Amino acid sequence: MNWSFMAQNAHFFVNAAYVTVFISFFGVVFAILIGVVCAALEVSHVPILSPVTRGYIELSRNTPLLVQLYFLYFGLPKLGISWSAQTCAVVGLAFLGGSYMAEAMRGGLEAVPRIQRESARVLGFSPRQTLTHIILPQALSSAIPGVVANVIFLVKESSVVSAIALADVMYVTKDLMGISYDTYESLALLIITYLIILLPISVIGTVLERRFDYARR
Amino acid sequence: MTDGQENRLEAGRESAGTLGPTGSARSMEPLRSSGTTDPEGRTGVGQRSVLEVEHLVKQYPGADVPVLNDISFRIPKGKVFVVLGPSGSGKSTLLRTIAGLEPIQGGRILLDGRTVESGDASKGVRAPRGNRVSGTRSTDLRTRIGMVFQSYDLFPNKTVLDNVTMAPVLVQKRSRDEARKEALELLDRVGLADRKDAWPNELSGGQRQRVAICRALILHPEIMLFDEVTAALDPEMVREVLQVILELADQGLTMMIVTHEMAFARGIADHIVLLDRGSLVEESDDPERFFTDPATERARQFLSTFTYERRRGDGVGEQAHQAGQGNV
């Protein structure tokens, strides 16, 4: 192991990590927003919109992110829409993550037992009160593990954006390997970088799961 | 926790007798033993009915036969009305229609002489609107009928105290302090004041059901519906819940109880009915008589399922299934 090589080139990974974190963060935020809207549409059985939502979810989760990014980066310009690589990366992650988030949140909503709704009704709660005080908090509790897993998944998937020439950590690693042939050290730096980004997310996720786990508390 | 909580608890204990949901100021009496009648001698004929059900028909869409067929009865104020019957006879559905959780296809349900729900048989079976339950009842109307379910229905995302105070604060717009005070008094009455900050999942099944009873009582319903509230409990927890219900009966709360606990039914009932395949097959104002000498063969048969006897050598096949021993 060439330690001095690793020490000399670590700063490339710091800059690249900003890119990875930046696109992951916005990708995840938009994915969650899309997920909330889609989950709500799915469980409420709105005519037209609910089937459209279903179609989006199936399209999104049954096509590879790489293909989605190629479409956004190389395909859309042919239709006259040119986005920066960064925009394409965020949109791609949100498009993919949206369906995963929607499914996790739908699962949470459907996990709330029917009797909870009925108890609230017998107590005189309005549908809105039932939703905000009973259904949503409990749905959140069951959805958190899935949502956290999706966040981690999306951050890792962001490595694919190197394919559209965005200088994330994966891109920098490939560059470094090509220039130096220190493959082993470069990949070690890459792994360390991902762990530094992802371990805190993992820990926060576990804390959130515990905090909102009404069933075990 | 506010200051003076201890005082409130103390006050709650002293004034427990005034907490009866019907406003009865009778002081809390010791638990009544099974089988005795109320010392106050609940009057029967001529008293106003809290709940009246007339020719109720309930049929699910697509079903050939109704779940409930032409059910009629009335429950006078302060009376305990017990519904017995085998599984699938429609007992729970009956309670659910009265609570407004299921639309009805025929007949009427009256609360205090006012129609709260009616079904038109000529219109046939209405298709349910989405996943919703019939949504015609006003909030006020819904809070006047309290219900406790078989399975644990406490809100797991709220503490015991919040479970009890939520409805009075959110629905009846009562002040938080006042709701809290009454909740603590009620919890104290069922022996759970010290668990007020616990989460539902930290409680035993029997404790949860007692909290559920408090949660319904705090709204001061005119009638309480109990849907097999001990069916999911371990045997040793059954008693702690049933004793609470017995106390409520003694305080003059009008109740409709679906149960499989025969000894409890016998001890608490003022009026007892047997439901079988959606119809009332026997009604009795004399629970003791119902259990020892039922009028119908169906009732005899039903009660015999609660007795166990061995076939001894002599009199093979001569099974003495005495319904009178249905006091399990």
Side-chain angles (χ1 to χ4, degrees), chain B:
Chain B
M1 289 305 96
T2 53
D3 320 287
Q5 184 133 52
E6 289 310 307
N7 294 336
R8 276 184 195 162
L9 275 171
E10 222 28 69
R13 201 168 289 124
E14 281 160 17
S15 64
T18 61
L19 294 170
T22 51
S24 138
R26 218 189 299 169
S27 65
M28 196 154 84
E29 296 153 0
L31 288 172
R32 156 166 89 106
S33 62
S34 299
T36 61
T37 47
D38 186 23
E40 299 255 325
R42 298 173 193 151
T43 51
V45 197
Q47 194 157 356
R48 83 185 169 93
S49 297
V50 171
L51 182 78
E52 274 177 90
V53 170
E54 293 175 353
H55 307 293
L56 186 148
V57 176
K58 164 74 197 169
Q59 187 161 8
Y60 286 109
D64 297 334
V65 283
V67 192
L68 295 170
N69 195 9
D70 196 22
I71 305 281
S72 298
F73 61 85
R74 51 189 290 274
I75 306 180
K77 188 168 170 54
K79 295 290 179 177
V80 179
F81 189 93
V82 171
V83 184
L84 301 178
S87 312
S89 57
K91 307 182 298 289
S92 290
T93 310
L94 180 60
L95 285 193
R96 291 170 57 84
T97 57
I98 293 165
L101 292 172
E102 305 268 0
I104 59 176
Q105 281 69 47
R108 287 201 300 169
I109 298 170
L110 297 92
L111 188 67
D112 259 335
R114 236 177 77 202
T115 303
V116 296
E117 187 112 12
S118 62
D120 192 344
S122 65
K123 284 179 189 161
V125 179
R126 279 182 300 180
R129 289 160 297 189
N131 197 22
R132 272 185 299 170
V133 281
S134 59
T136 50
R137 294 194 192 183
S138 68
T139 298
D140 168 59
L141 211 49
R142 279 182 281 147
T143 57
R144 285 163 63 195
I145 300 179
M147 183 161 179
V148 180
F149 296 84
Q150 172 183 337
S151 54
Y152 314 137
D153 55 329
L154 292 184
F155 304 129
N157 55 324
K158 301 284 172 186
T159 62
V160 164
L161 189 60
D162 285 343
N163 260 281
V164 181
T165 57
M166 262 178 100
V169 172
L170 285 173
V171 178
Q172 293 180 324
K173 310 294 176 202
R174 285 154 65 182
S175 85
R176 193 166 289 276
D177 281 348
E178 186 263 329
R180 230 179 143 78
K181 185 167 172 287
E182 184 173 356
L184 287 170
E185 287 163 355
L186 284 167
L187 288 171
D188 188 43
R189 248 169 80 185
V190 301
L192 289 173
D194 57 329
R195 305 306 311 271
K196 64 184 191 301
D197 296 319
W199 297 91
N201 288 94
E202 296 167 349
L203 302 181
S204 73
Q207 291 174 326
R208 281 187 233 177
Q209 288 299 61
R210 283 185 277 158
V211 174
I213 291 170
C214 293
R215 192 178 65 172
L217 284 178
I218 199 168
L219 298 174
H220 306 289
E222 284 166 55
I223 183 168
M224 280 283 284
L225 312 178
F226 293 95
D227 186 6
E228 290 186 42
V229 289
T230 58
L233 299 183
D234 288 341
E236 62 266 35
M237 292 173 183
V238 169
R239 192 171 184 85
E240 65 188 42
V241 175
L242 296 186
Q243 282 191 327
V244 168
I245 301 175
L246 277 168
E247 278 175 24
L248 296 173
D250 282 342
Q251 284 158 7
L253 180 63
T254 315
M255 294 191 266
M256 183 165 171
I257 301 173
V258 166
T259 185
H260 282 302
E261 301 286 336
M262 290 302 136
F264 171 66
R266 192 172 181 166
I268 200 171
D270 291 308
H271 191 92
I272 204 155
V273 296
L274 178 66
L275 194 66
D276 187 32
R277 281 183 244 165
S279 299
L280 292 183
V281 293
E282 179 159 349
E283 302 182 53
S284 172
D285 270 325
D286 185 351
E288 208 55 37
R289 177 92 192 271
F290 174 85
F291 281 100
T292 51
D293 183 22
T296 61
E297 181 53 33
R298 184 66 188 93
R300 199 176 301 276
Q301 212 182 10
F302 173 75
L303 291 171
S304 77
T305 61
F306 292 92
T307 60
Y308 296 90
E309 283 173 62
R310 267 183 68 182
R311 279 168 197 271
R312 303 284 177 184
D314 53 302
V316 179
E318 291 277 307
Q319 251 316 75
H321 274 312
Q322 284 204 343
Q325 285 157 17
N327 184 12
V328 265

Side-chain angles (χ1 to χ4, degrees), chain A residues 189-205:
Chain A
L189 279 171
L190 175 65
I191 290 168
I192 291 166
T193 312
Y194 270 121
L195 285 178
I196 290 172
I197 296 172
L198 283 167
L199 281 178
I201 299 179
S202 226
V203 170
I204 292 169

